[in-house]
């Protein structure tokens, strides 16, 4: 049986390592009918602090990014292109703004499709990742390096050649 990963599990400045370690873990969502959907995480991206030019927090503290400066283990959910919700898990200690974008789960590729299929939206923004809030993470197997590919992040060319090319995206090999 899987165990719930508590928010304090993600209190680390090792956001890139945590993004890699989230692969194989379970994302659990309690639906309105009280049924719980559980899916295995297969793709993540790390956004590591205020110096990471691809990270929203690189522009400073704003109403939108305030959650990233708060305690680890909270959800950062925002709307992109006016139509897609993006699900991120805040990492790092208080005042170190970093997060992990959950890009795909088994059977659902793409962060916008993932949130739409699972019914995740901004009502989860700022909430701790715990069952009481209907969206949480559970333990799963650690994947060997042979099953994981590290690549540059998707769609962050605006961050410049250094930050856009860092291997901060992690994918379970098919």
């Amino acid at each position: 049986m899987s165990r719930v990963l508590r928010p304090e599990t993600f209190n680390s400045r090792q956001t890139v390592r945590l993004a890699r370690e989230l692969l194989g873990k379970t994302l659990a969502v309690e639906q309105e009918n009280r049924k719980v959907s559980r899916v295995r995480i297969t793709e993540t991206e790390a956004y590591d602090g205020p110096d990471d030019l691809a990270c929203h927090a690189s522009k400073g503290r704003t109403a939108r990014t305030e959650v990233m400066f708060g305690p680890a283990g909270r959800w950062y959910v925002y709307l992109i292109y006016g139509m897609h919700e993006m699900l991120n898990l805040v990492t790092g200690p208080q005042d170190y703004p970093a997060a992990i974008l959950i890009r795909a789960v088994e059977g659902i590729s793409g962060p916008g499709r993932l949130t739409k299929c699972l019914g995740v939206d901004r009502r989860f923004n700022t909430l701790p990742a715990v069952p009481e809030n209907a969206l949480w993470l559970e333990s799963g197997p650690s994947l060997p390096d042979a099953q994981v590919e590290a690549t540059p992040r998707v769609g962050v060319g605006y961050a410049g050649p250094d930050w856009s090319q860092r291997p901060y995206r992690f994918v379970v090999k098919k």
Side-chain angles (χ1 to χ4, degrees):
M1 183 170 169
S2 298
R3 69 176 173 80
V4 172
L5 298 175
R6 302 302 300 169
E8 50 275 5
T9 303
F10 304 99
N11 190 12
S12 170
R13 282 197 181 211
Q14 300 297 313
T15 302
V16 176
R17 179 183 56 81
L18 290 171
R20 160 59 176 93
E21 290 176 0
L22 269 185
L23 296 178
K25 305 302 182 263
T26 299
L27 177 65
V29 185
E30 183 178 322
Q31 305 297 332
E32 288 183 16
N33 63 4
R34 313 231 2 123
K35 181 182 177 204
V36 176
S37 298
R38 287 181 169 84
V39 288
R40 187 173 79 109
I41 297 171
T42 58
E43 184 179 348
T44 60
E45 281 182 352
Y47 292 87
D48 194 17
D51 296 329
D52 179 346
L53 296 181
C55 180
H56 290 162
S58 70
K59 305 284 189 272
R61 210 169 187 143
T62 66
R64 176 179 169 177
T65 64
E66 185 64 29
V67 64
M68 294 180 74
F69 291 85
R74 291 181 181 263
W75 298 113
Y76 170 37
V77 185
Y78 63 90
L79 188 67
I80 189 169
Y81 307 130
M83 60 184 176
H84 299 295
E85 306 280 0
M86 299 286 113
L87 177 62
N88 296 262
L89 179 69
V90 173
T91 65
Q94 186 89 24
D95 296 319
Y96 183 77
I100 299 166
L101 172 64
I102 300 176
R103 291 192 54 83
V105 296
E106 271 186 336
I108 309 171
S109 63
R113 280 191 290 272
L114 179 156
T115 55
K116 185 174 183 177
C117 289
L118 296 176
V120 172
D121 58 28
R122 283 170 283 163
R123 76 179 179 272
F124 294 105
N125 190 46
T126 76
L127 296 179
V130 295
E132 295 81 6
N133 291 327
L135 183 61
W136 69 97
L137 295 163
E138 296 177 350
S139 62
S142 294
L143 301 179
D145 288 340
Q147 290 182 359
V148 176
E149 181 177 9
T151 74
R153 295 175 287 194
V154 175
V156 295
Y158 60 84
D162 177 25
W163 288 102
S164 67
Q165 292 304 305
R166 291 191 185 198
Y168 285 5
R169 175 177 167 252
F170 301 93
V171 181
V172 175
K173 292 180 182 177
K174 294 185 177 167

